Amino acid sequence: MTDRVNIDGIQVDRILYDFITDEALPAAGIADADAFWAGAAKIFADLTPRNRELLDFRQELADKIDQYHRDAPGAVDPA
């Protein structure tokens, strides 16, 4: 089982959390890891619904393309 860190309502893989907190943030000059994770959690919370909408739309398009190819098997006429 993957070791995860629960921080600000998100679960982060321990290896990723440690890398970001101990190496990436200090190398980028960001001293407040807690503020970083709080900001990341807010971004994820804000964008997750839109991401879900876009993934659903992508699936709809893929389903339509698949249905087209089932209905019209064979080579596609480039004209």
Side-chain angles (χ1 to χ4, degrees):
M1 183 171 179
T2 302
D3 184 23
R4 298 198 181 272
V5 176
N6 291 312
I7 185 162
D8 288 296
I10 59 173
Q11 292 184 11
V12 180
D13 179 86
R14 167 64 69 181
I15 294 170
L16 178 61
Y17 175 84
D18 289 344
F19 168 73
I20 296 291
T21 302
D22 299 335
E23 296 181 42
L25 294 179
I30 300 171
D32 191 348
D34 290 336
F36 168 82
W37 288 112
K42 178 157 179 25
I43 290 169
F44 298 154
D46 290 348
L47 295 180
T48 294
R50 179 65 176 145
N51 188 55
R52 172 54 38 212
E53 290 172 10
L54 292 170
L55 288 171
D56 290 344
F57 180 66
R58 177 183 177 267
Q59 188 60 54
E60 289 175 27
L61 291 176
D63 291 344
K64 288 178 182 180
I65 292 168
D66 291 345
Q67 188 60 50
Y68 170 82
H69 287 289
R70 282 191 290 276
D71 293 343
V76 176
D77 180 5

